[in-house]
Amino acid sequence: MYHFDWVVFWKYLWPGTALANTMIRNGLIVTIVVSIVAQAIGVALGLLSALGKMSKIAPIRWLSDAYIWYFRGTPLLVQMALLFFGLGVTHIYDFPDIQLGFIVISGAIQAGTLALGVNEGAYMAEIVRAGIESIDPGQLEAAKSLGMTYSTAMRRIILPQALKVIIPPLGNEFNNMMKTTSLMEVISASELFFAYTQINAQLFKPFELFIAASLYYLALTTIWAFIQSRIEASLGERKSTIKTPNVLERIFAKGSH
Amino acid sequence: MDKITPSTNTPVSFKCPSCGAVLDYPGSGDSMHCPFCNSNVIVPETLRHNDAGIQAAARDDCNTVVKFVNVNKYYGSLHVLQDINLQVCKNEVVVIIGPSGSGKSTLLRSINHLETINSGEIFVYGRMIGYREKNERLIEESENNIARQRAEIGMVFQRFNLFPHLTVLENIIEAPMQVRGIPRKLAVAEAESLLTRVGLLEKRNQYPRQLSGGQQQRVAIARALAMKPGLMLFDEPTSALDPEMIGEVLDVMKSLAKEMTMLVVSHEMGFARAAADRILFIDEGRIIEDTTPEELFDHPREERTKLFLSKILH
């Protein structure tokens, strides 16, 4: 019978003691910051490639299609390893540490963030495209008939409306992103899961430590669920027809699948 | 029909020195009127030129606003516009009727290049719409130039197409500010006077979905007028309305009919009789009759005109 080590478990779960550990504290910060930056890269690339897919210029369409095809069709873990180890060994880019004031951003974090962001962009592209295509074509016609160019019409008329369709799945993508940052462990980026694996290497208590680690991720995604509800509720005020799920429905995924 | 060939198709624009609106130089003259701040503007000397073709177009007997020359359009094997020739003079109000699928909406929408055409030429104010000549062939105009041509042509749609994320006022000031670069204050003042004109000033801060269909269509008309177009296109403006709301929209259109060039696809015979100078009956992509409303209603020449009228007049 396995003896569960409650002392280790509580030490690495209770924020007062767990966050006193620099590896865990920094790991948590890295996980949050990388999630936000990678999601932002994903949204930007998703927007670009969604517009690219709808471009009149064929090579731009092909480029967007190829990007989405490759990054959705290959494993993120492989993409990350390819980017970090592959580019490193060719010396195309060595991912040197970057010093920003007091903070050093390691090469692994840069590569991991980039891989997460570029991978996410391919998924965001479909979400953005679906959002744009959900808007009545009459809106673009009305904008054009008023003398707006395609880019003005997109920026001022189509995208602001599409945003309401894009935001809910975007929130779900961010939930995923926070969990997926743990893949960066394989390239030794010092995020939250990596911190726990390092501690485990010293204590060898994988059951206790990884339960504690999982509960930190659960806390992050639960807090995000509350924030997401708030954001969607404020959007919902202007669009009363679609019911936004409340936070309990969201956490337990009721009625969504 | 003689062919108008402007020597330059690309409009030259400059900023109105008093209100900042982007104005398109009409092709001749040292000064022009700015419709946004109602001032007389001296055209910068560097831009002045004499565009013979456009002048010729403006000089003709009726100040031609819209001109179709042998226009054809196909949807696959369907010939939706067949050798259309049409001339609409300044301040004329032309109502277009015809059975569903006859090509009347396509004809209207081709005037601001929401529909492409396969052959022929369409001119608005003497400028070819949507295409330019290159090596004796017609190629599609650049997106920017098409946008500038459309800015001079107002359009009202069957389903209103108001921007649902913007208030009534924001719907109206959006294009003047984004396209013409007019300062917000001036755009708001103009929008308020247009809203007063269509009787909806008190709705300025509401969203389109809070308005009835008739009110939405009146806002859509105000939105189009805010760009100060010389020509207005109406594509079945009352077809999506409940019967009790049709009158309020037609009243606005009737008051406009006194002062501007209008092309209206509509089966509102009362409006046609009261406001139209001409009525076109279109069937199978051809203009079958082109006459006055009285003549068409009381003495239709063609058998299919009679048949069609008997169906819509009951």
Side-chain angles (χ1 to χ4, degrees), chain A residues 136 138-139 141-152 155-157 160-161 164 237-240, chain B residues 109 112 114 143-144 147 150-151 153 155 157 161-166 174-175 178-179 207 209 223-224 227:
Chain A
D136 176 8
Q139 292 287 308
E141 285 196 346
K144 281 180 172 176
S145 77
L146 287 163
M148 290 188 208
T149 57
Y150 181 78
S151 60
T152 305
R155 190 168 48 82
R156 300 288 307 181
I157 306 301
Q161 294 181 56
K164 289 177 185 172
E237 276 167 25
R238 288 172 142 225
K239 190 181 82 172
S240 52
Chain B
R109 287 160 55 84
N112 69 354
L114 285 179
E143 200 210 325
N144 276 343
R150 286 184 180 132
I153 304 168
M155 180 139 189
F157 299 86
N161 296 348
L162 290 179
F163 306 134
H165 62 304
L166 301 178
E174 183 67 22
Q178 293 294 327
V179 177
Y207 284 90
R209 66 183 151 73
R223 177 177 71 175
M227 289 297 284

Side-chain angles (χ1 to χ4, degrees), chain B residues 155-175:
Chain B
M155 180 139 189
V156 173
F157 299 86
Q158 181 178 356
R159 300 218 50 92
F160 331 131
N161 296 348
L162 290 179
F163 306 134
H165 62 304
L166 301 178
T167 63
V168 164
L169 189 79
E170 288 166 346
N171 261 279
I172 299 174
I173 64 176
E174 183 67 22

Side-chain angles (χ1 to χ4, degrees), chain B residues 255-275:
Chain B
S255 84
L256 282 178
K258 295 183 186 109
E259 60 197 67
M260 55 193 322
T261 316
M262 285 170 39
L263 274 89
V264 184
V265 171
S266 173
H267 290 159
E268 292 298 329
M269 296 306 135
F271 172 78
R273 272 192 194 271

Side-chain angles (χ1 to χ4, degrees), chain B:
Chain B
M1 199 169 285
D2 52 21
K3 195 174 144 185
I4 303 165
T5 316
S7 57
T8 170
N9 195 40
T10 308
V12 184
S13 62
F14 65 100
K15 277 195 169 194
C16 168
S18 57
C19 73
V22 178
L23 302 174
D24 280 345
Y25 180 53
S28 62
D30 301 343
S31 68
M32 63 178 285
H33 173 248
C34 170
F36 295 96
C37 61
N38 266 323
S39 57
N40 203 41
V41 181
I42 306 294
V43 177
E45 240 167 276
T46 47
L47 296 186
R48 285 180 211 164
H49 60 269
N50 270 342
D51 197 313
I54 290 168
Q55 278 187 317
R59 245 200 335 259
D60 67 13
D61 48 352
C62 77
N63 291 319
T64 303
V65 175
V66 180
K67 188 164 188 166
F68 278 63
V69 183
N70 299 327
V71 173
N72 283 281
K73 180 179 173 73
Y74 302 83
Y75 285 127
S77 62
L78 190 67
H79 201 169
V80 282
L81 294 180
Q82 304 195 27
D83 280 320
I84 300 287
N85 285 290
L86 174 68
Q87 189 168 13
V88 177
C89 301
K90 192 165 191 266
N91 290 336
E92 249 189 328
V93 174
V94 179
V95 166
I96 304 168
I97 62 170
S100 148
S102 58
K104 55 192 191 304
S105 277
T106 306
L107 185 149
L108 193 78
R109 287 160 55 84
S110 63
I111 297 173
N112 69 354
H113 201 60
L114 285 179
E115 298 281 352
T116 57
I117 56 174
N118 296 104
S119 69
E121 288 157 340
I122 300 172
F123 300 92
V124 175
Y125 301 118
R127 283 205 175 98
M128 200 196 298
I129 288 293
Y131 300 89
R132 68 191 147 95
E133 220 163 312
K134 193 182 179 187
N135 305 329
E136 311 216 338
R137 292 188 55 188
L138 291 183
I139 59 164
E140 197 160 21
E141 257 293 1
S142 73
E143 200 210 325
N144 276 343
N145 282 340
I146 292 173
R148 284 158 75 172
Q149 293 178 331
R150 286 184 180 132
E152 311 284 334
I153 304 168
M155 180 139 189
V156 173
F157 299 86
Q158 181 178 356
R159 300 218 50 92
F160 331 131
N161 296 348
L162 290 179
F163 306 134
H165 62 304
L166 301 178
T167 63
V168 164
L169 189 79
E170 288 166 346
N171 261 279
I172 299 174
I173 64 176
E174 183 67 22
M177 287 175 64
Q178 293 294 327
V179 177
R180 293 288 186 194
I182 289 168
R184 189 183 173 90
K185 232 176 139 178
L186 191 66
V188 168
E190 176 61 26
E192 285 175 345
S193 90
L194 285 168
L195 280 173
T196 309
R197 176 167 186 177
V198 299
L200 289 170
L201 185 61
E202 77 279 12
K203 303 284 186 194
R204 52 202 287 245
N205 294 323
Q206 306 224 313
Y207 284 90
R209 66 183 151 73
Q210 296 171 294
L211 307 183
S212 72
Q215 292 171 332
Q216 289 192 50
Q217 194 61 299
R218 280 143 71 197
V219 172
I221 293 171
R223 177 177 71 175
L225 290 176
M227 289 297 284
K228 306 280 183 184
L231 166 67
M232 284 283 283
L233 310 175
F234 293 83
D235 190 4
E236 307 208 28
T238 55
S239 306
L241 294 177
D242 290 333
E244 75 271 22
M245 292 165 184
I246 292 175
E248 62 192 69
V249 172
L250 292 181
D251 285 345
V252 172
M253 288 168 59
K254 278 178 204 159
S255 84
L256 282 178
K258 295 183 186 109
E259 60 197 67
M260 55 193 322
T261 316
M262 285 170 39
L263 274 89
V264 184
V265 171
S266 173
H267 290 159
E268 292 298 329
M269 296 306 135
F271 172 78
R273 272 192 194 271
D277 299 300
R278 276 161 73 190
I279 187 157
L280 307 184
F281 174 64
I282 295 191
D283 194 19
E284 293 175 347
R286 290 182 186 279
I287 299 176
I288 306 296
E289 297 208 36
D290 178 354
T291 179
T292 63
E294 292 75 24
E295 192 65 24
L296 186 100
F297 294 140
D298 302 338
H299 314 284
R301 278 186 295 125
E302 302 280 332
E303 210 43 53
R304 43 183 160 172
T305 316
K306 287 176 194 163
L307 190 68
F308 176 73
L309 288 175
S310 73
K311 279 180 190 158
I312 59 165
L313 295 175
H314 310 295

